[in-house]
Amino acid sequence: MIKEAYNTSIKNMQVMDEDSNVDISLIPKDLDDKKLIEMYKFMNLGRAVSNKLLALQRLGKVATFAPLNGEEAVQVGSAYAMDKNDYIVPIYRTHLSLIVRGVPLKSLFTAVKGYEEAYSSISDYHTTPEIIVVGSQFTHAAGIAYGLKYRKIGNAVIVYGGDGSTSEGDFYEAINFAGVFNLPVIFMIENNEWAISVPRSRQSAAETLAQKGVAAGIKSIQVDGNDVLAVYKATKDALESIKQNGKPVLIEALTYRMGMHTTSDDPTKYRPEEDVDAWQKKDPIKRLQRYLISKKIWNDEMEQSMIEENKELVNQAAKDIESVKSEPEKMFDNVYSFIPETLQEEKDEAVKNNFWQ
Amino acid sequence: MVNLMLANMVTALNNALDLCLNESSDIIVLGEDVGKDGGVFRVTDGLIKKYGPDRIVDTPLAESSIIGTSIGMAIAGMHPFPEIQFGGFSYIGFDQLAAHAARYRSRTMGNIQIPMVVRMPVSGGVRTLEHHSESPEALFSHIGGLIVVEPSTPYDAKGLLIKAAHSKDPILFLEPTKLYRLFKQEIPDGMYEVPIGKANLAKEGDDLTIITYGTMAREVQKTVEENNISADVLDLRTINPIDESAILKSVKKTGRALIVHEASLSFGVGAEISARIGEKCLYDLKSPVMRVGGFSFPYPFSGDEDYWVPNRNKVLYYIKKLMDS
Ligand SMILES: Cc1ncc(C[n+]2csc(CCOP(=O)(O)OP(=O)(O)O)c2C)c(N)n1
Ligand SMILES: [Mg+2]
C-alpha cells in the first residue's frame, strides 16, 4: 500500500471577509481600537505615497518606481506586528514596510529620485535598503537571523518577496538554510498574482507557494492578503511560534497588484482591465474602513482630516527632495573603508579637469 | 534587389529574431516577459503571435535555470536564445556560463557543443534602478570559451544576431539599452550577416586611433566630429575574440591609441587592448596608450549616473592629452 509521505495541505486564514464581517474570536487580543486606526492610517499613507511618487515620476522629478497599490494590507499588517527592534528586509515594492518602521518619507523619496543618501542611516531603523535583485534578499534575511541568534539578541527578522521571487534559487536556499539552523525569520511572500507580465501559474505548478516551505521543514500558512487583520494575526502568531521553538515561518499572503509593475510597465499589454476591476471590490483599505465605521471608531470627519494630513506629508516629502542633488565627489568616499591611491587619482583627475562641468 | 527598412536597434533585433525563428525550428526564445509582454524593451514584441508559446517561452523568474536549461536544450540539439532581462541579473546565471557554457566543448573535445545566444540589455544612461545599468563584458570575456558581442548600431545589431544564429558557439549578445531607440538607420529587410570577431572602422583619420564599442562608440564619434579631430575610430562590435589585427593595423598607422568604454576602468577591456598594443607595437607608438572608462566602482544610483559614465569632456581631455604627450 502506498502511504502518504507527508501532508501538504496548507491552512488559509481570514479574519475579516470581503464584506468586512469579522470573526471576533480570531482578532489578536492586543489589537485595540487605537492600533486599528493607526494601521488604517498607515495603509492610506502608503497609497498616498504611491500615488504621489507616480505623479512625480510622470513629471520627470523622480526615476522608475514600483507602486504598491492594492498591497497595503500585506505590508502594514506584517510590519506593524513586528517589534521595532526586529529586522525588516524590504524589496522594491514594500515601501510601506519601511514607512511603518518609521523610515522618513524623505528617505524613501530620495531613493526613488536616485540617491544613495536615502539609505545613509537605514540601519538605525533595523532595516536594509529595498533590494532589487529578485530573491537575493531572502538569503540576507536568513543571515541576519543567524546573526541575531548567534549574538543572543532575542529579535526576529521579516523578509518580503513576491510570487515570482519564489522561483529563484536564492529563495529555496534561504528557506532551507533557515530551516536547518532554526532561525528566527519570517518569509512573507506577497503573492500579487503577477511578476511583471508573467502570471502566478507560470511560476510554479505547486498548488500554493506556501507549501514550498513545507519541503524545507518550515511551518507555512496562507492568509488573505487583503485582510489586514489576518496578516497581522499571522505575523503575530509567527513571532509567538518563533519565541516558543525558534523555528522560521513562511506566510503566503494572497493579494493583487492593482497597478502597473513599475512606471516603465504597460499592463494593458498582458492583462484585461476587467481583472483589475474585480479586485477593486476587494480593496484592502475599503475593507478595513467599513469595519472601523461599523465599530463606530471612524467617521467622515476623521477621514477628511486624515486625507489632508497625508496630502501634507507627501507634499512635504516631495518638497524635501527638491534640494537633493548630485555631489559627484562623494561617490568615491564609500567604495571601501579607505580610498586607494589609484581611486583617489581617478577622483582628483575628474575634479581638476572639469569632467563634471 | 535589397529592400531597405528604417529601423532603430529594437526593430532591427526584432526583425532579426523573426527571420531566424522562421529559418530554423531549432531556435526558441525564452526568458522573463518575452511572450505576451514582448520583452520589457519590446525586442520580442509580436513574436509569440507568430511563433506561439512553445517557441516564445515565458519562463519562471530564475536566471540560473534560464541559462542552465538553455545549455541542456543545446545538448539536445536545439539552438536556444535565452534572454536575461537586464545584464545585472546575468550574475545569477554566471556559474552556468563560466562552469558549463564555456567548457562543454573543451570538456568533450568538441563532441558536445553549446550553440546558444544569450541576449541581455547592458550599460546605463537611461535613469533606471540599481543593477539595470551594468557593463559586464569584461567579466564574460575573461572566462574564455564564450563569445561576447556588443553592437552599437541597428545595422550591426541585426547582422550580428543573424550571424550568431548561424554559429555553433555560446554567444553573449549585449545590447546597450541607451542605443535601443536612440537613432534609426536604413538596413536591409532580409537576411544578412555581420562577421563576429571583426571590428568596424567607423571613422578614418590620421592622428590617433580610438578603440571603442557599445554606448561609447557613438559618444566618441560625436566628440571627434564636434572637434574636427582626425582619428581612426574602431568600433569593436565583438569584444571576445578581440580583433587584434584591426587594432594593430590602425595603431601602427597613427602611432597613438586611446581606448574608450563605459565599463569601469580597472581590470577592463581597455587593459586588455592596451597590453596587446604594448606587447606587439610598442615601438610604433608616439605616446603611451591611454584609457577612458567609468570610475573603478559599481555604477551608482541613477541620480549620479551622468557623473559616473564617461562623457565627451573626459574623452576630449584624453584625446588632447594623448596628442600632447
Ligand atoms: C534577479 C532579477 N531578475 C529579474 C528582475 C527584473 N524584475 C524586477 S521585478 C520582477 C518581477 C518580480 O515579481 P514578483 O516576485 O512576483 O514581485 P512583484 O514585482 O510582483 O512585487 C522582475 C522580473 C530583477 N529585478 N531581479
Ligand atoms: Mg508578484
Side-chain angles (χ1 to χ4, degrees):
Chain A
M1 204 181 85
I2 297 168
K3 276 209 302 198
E4 216 176 289
Y6 58 89
N7 183 356
T8 56
S9 79
I10 293 287
K11 246 175 66 183
N12 183 314
M13 182 165 67
Q14 191 180 54
V15 176
M16 170 169 61
D17 71 15
E18 284 173 26
D19 301 319
S20 307
N21 302 308
V22 166
D23 183 341
I24 304 289
S25 72
L26 291 177
I27 293 191
K29 303 250 159 2
D30 72 303
L31 205 47
D32 57 23
D33 292 351
K34 189 171 150 266
K35 286 182 174 172
L36 283 172
I37 289 174
E38 206 174 5
M39 286 209 290
Y40 178 68
K41 286 184 168 174
F42 271 131
M43 289 169 72
N44 278 278
L45 179 58
R47 187 164 298 181
V49 163
S50 196
N51 291 339
K52 183 70 185 183
L53 285 168
L54 191 60
L56 290 173
Q57 195 280 336
R58 294 308 189 220
L59 292 170
K61 295 193 170 172
V62 295
T64 317
F65 152 77
L68 57 78
N69 302 46
E71 303 176 36
E72 294 85 355
V74 183
Q75 297 177 18
V76 170
S78 55
Y80 195 78
M82 304 299 286
D83 182 86
K84 72 177 195 316
N85 291 317
D86 290 334
Y87 260 85
I88 291 179
V89 180
I91 59 165
Y92 54 87
R93 196 181 307 288
T94 63
H95 317 299
L96 254 172
S97 63
L98 295 179
I99 293 172
V100 170
R101 176 46 59 85
V103 174
L105 291 189
K106 184 187 176 187
S107 300
L108 204 71
F109 279 48
T110 302
V112 181
K113 194 175 179 187
Y115 293 95
E116 287 88 345
E117 191 187 318
Y119 296 131
S120 57
S121 57
I122 196 71
S123 67
D124 296 356
Y125 301 92
H126 289 203
T127 173
T128 65
E130 292 185 349
I131 299 297
I132 292 168
V133 182
V134 169
S136 55
Q137 73 277 10
F138 295 121
T139 55
H140 306 168
I144 294 170
Y146 194 103
L148 295 179
K149 186 175 173 183
Y150 180 83
R151 297 177 60 210
K152 301 194 167 51
I153 299 168
N155 283 102
V157 183
I158 188 165
V159 56
Y160 293 87
D163 41 309
S165 76
T166 67
S167 297
E168 290 282 5
D170 271 1
F171 166 76
Y172 293 98
E173 296 181 31
I175 60 172
N176 191 52
F177 188 97
V180 165
F181 292 106
N182 292 330
L183 300 178
V185 51
I186 299 170
F187 297 95
M188 175 57 78
I189 303 307
E190 190 164 319
N191 175 356
N192 62 9
E193 293 201 5
W194 294 95
I196 312 188
S197 73
V198 181
R200 154 67 182 83
S201 58
R202 187 47 72 97
Q203 295 300 342
S204 175
E207 194 182 327
T208 68
L209 298 176
Q211 73 203 57
K212 295 187 179 191
V214 174
I218 290 183
K219 201 158 137 185
S220 304
I221 183 176
Q222 243 185 5
V223 295
D224 180 342
N226 281 20
D227 170 1
V228 71
L229 304 182
V231 177
Y232 181 87
K233 178 173 165 48
T235 312
K236 275 284 179 209
D237 289 352
L239 285 170
E240 189 51 40
S241 146
I242 286 172
K243 205 168 277 166
Q244 303 278 320
N245 58 28
K247 293 186 174 157
V249 177
L250 187 150
I251 303 170
E252 177 189 5
L254 302 172
T255 183
Y256 193 77
R257 199 192 77 211
M258 308 270 279
M260 60 206 76
H261 166 68
T262 67
T263 46
S264 321
D265 175 46
D266 171 16
T268 61
K269 279 281 281 184
Y270 53 81
R271 74 177 185 192
E273 278 301 304
E274 300 89 77
D275 287 17
V276 185
D277 293 344
W279 279 85
Q280 296 284 3
K281 289 195 213 82
K282 305 186 200 175
D283 187 326
I285 294 183
K286 287 269 149 51
R287 201 191 288 193
L288 181 59
Q289 186 195 47
R290 278 193 300 268
Y291 176 58
L292 298 184
I293 291 171
S294 75
K295 269 191 91 156
K296 302 203 165 43
I297 58 173
W298 194 251
N299 58 39
D300 281 352
E301 206 179 311
M302 295 164 95
E303 179 82 15
Q304 273 317 312
S305 75
M306 175 196 69
I307 289 171
E308 286 309 312
E309 229 170 85
N310 286 347
K311 207 183 273 172
E312 260 168 51
L313 287 171
V314 298
N315 287 341
Q316 187 59 47
K319 223 191 240 148
D320 288 343
I321 60 163
E322 275 173 14
S323 59
V324 177
K325 285 201 293 285
S326 289
E327 294 171 84
E329 308 83 43
K330 285 195 178 169
M331 290 192 292
F332 297 78
D333 295 346
N334 288 293
V335 180
Y336 308 98
S337 59
F338 64 100
I339 303 188
E341 238 175 82
T342 50
L343 191 56
Q344 184 67 42
E345 195 187 339
E346 289 185 33
K347 175 178 170 179
D348 291 346
E349 187 191 45
V351 173
K352 196 173 127 221
N353 302 299
N354 302 319
F355 292 164
W356 294 326
Q357 302 295 301
Chain B
M1 217 197 76
V2 179
N3 287 317
L4 295 176
M5 60 187 268
L6 192 62
N8 61 27
M9 196 182 281
V10 169
T11 36
L13 289 166
N14 183 270
N15 176 242
L17 287 171
D18 187 7
L19 293 168
C20 295
L21 283 155
N22 191 47
E23 184 180 62
S24 165
S25 61
D26 291 340
I27 294 178
I28 72 162
V29 170
L30 67 157
E32 295 154 11
D33 306 286
V34 297
K36 248 189 184 175
D37 198 38
V40 293
F41 289 105
R42 304 289 178 258
V43 173
T44 57
D45 205 22
L47 297 178
I48 193 168
K49 274 216 187 90
K50 197 159 170 188
Y51 298 99
D54 292 341
R55 295 190 65 199
I56 311 298
V57 184
D58 277 327
T59 63
L61 208 181
E63 291 74 11
S64 180
S65 70
I66 290 172
I67 295 174
T69 56
S70 292
I71 291 172
M73 291 174 200
I75 294 172
M78 295 169 68
H79 197 159
F81 275 47
E83 173 181 299
I84 297 298
Q85 196 161 77
F86 288 91
F89 307 130
S90 68
Y91 305 148
I92 296 174
F94 199 85
D95 171 67
Q96 291 293 347
L97 291 170
H100 301 297
R103 307 172 103 107
Y104 247 108
R105 176 181 277 275
S106 50
R107 183 185 281 158
T108 62
M109 295 184 76
N111 181 248
I112 295 179
Q113 48 199 13
I114 309 295
M116 130 172 131
V117 182
V118 189
R119 295 181 33 254
M120 66 185 81
V122 297
S123 296
V126 296
R127 240 165 102 66
T128 179
L129 295 162
E130 202 184 1
H131 316 292
H132 291 63
S133 306
E134 309 283 295
S135 295
E137 64 275 10
L139 301 177
F140 298 138
S141 297
H142 186 66
I143 295 166
L146 300 174
I147 287 174
V148 182
V149 167
E150 186 169 349
S152 75
T153 66
Y155 179 88
D156 285 347
K158 178 175 171 181
L160 282 164
L161 194 60
I162 290 170
K163 179 68 193 170
H166 295 158
S167 306
K168 300 256 176 262
D169 295 296
I171 295 173
L172 299 184
F173 199 91
L174 313 187
E175 304 167 359
T177 314
K178 194 185 167 186
L179 305 183
Y180 268 148
R181 296 171 191 283
L182 193 65
F183 64 99
K184 292 182 178 173
Q185 249 182 341
E186 295 269 7
I187 64 171
D189 71 353
M191 281 278 191
Y192 67 92
E193 291 184 352
V194 167
I196 287 174
K198 289 275 169 267
N200 174 38
L201 188 56
K203 271 195 179 312
E204 276 196 70
D206 303 315
D207 297 341
L208 78 158
T209 300
I210 309 181
I211 301 131
T212 183
Y213 58 90
T215 51
M216 296 313 289
R218 202 174 153 79
E219 288 305 298
V220 164
Q221 289 175 62
K222 294 276 173 216
T223 310
V224 167
E225 282 162 18
E226 284 164 6
N227 298 282
N228 290 317
I229 289 156
S230 177
D232 267 4
V233 178
L234 265 183
D235 178 357
L236 288 177
R237 303 192 293 195
T238 300
I239 312 299
N240 182 49
I242 191 104
D243 189 355
E244 189 189 79
S245 58
I247 294 168
L248 297 182
K249 187 174 161 206
S250 173
V251 174
K252 280 179 182 163
K253 179 183 84 174
T254 63
R256 291 191 169 90
L258 177 66
I259 304 131
V260 181
H261 53 59
E262 178 174 323
S264 285
L265 182 77
S266 302
F267 305 94
V269 173
E272 173 67 26
I273 295 170
S274 173
R276 284 173 188 272
I277 294 171
E279 284 159 3
K280 303 218 171 146
C281 64
L282 183 66
Y283 301 111
D284 296 298
L285 292 177
K286 298 174 188 153
S287 53
V289 178
M290 292 186 192
R291 294 177 292 158
V292 173
F295 293 114
S296 299
F297 51 83
Y299 201 91
F301 284 12
S302 64
D304 281 330
E305 72 179 343
D306 291 344
Y307 301 100
W308 189 91
V309 173
N311 59 16
R312 294 182 201 175
N313 284 350
K314 190 166 176 179
V315 174
L316 185 61
Y317 168 80
Y318 269 94
I319 291 174
K320 287 184 175 155
K321 187 170 170 184
L322 192 63
M323 298 306 294
D324 291 346
S325 64

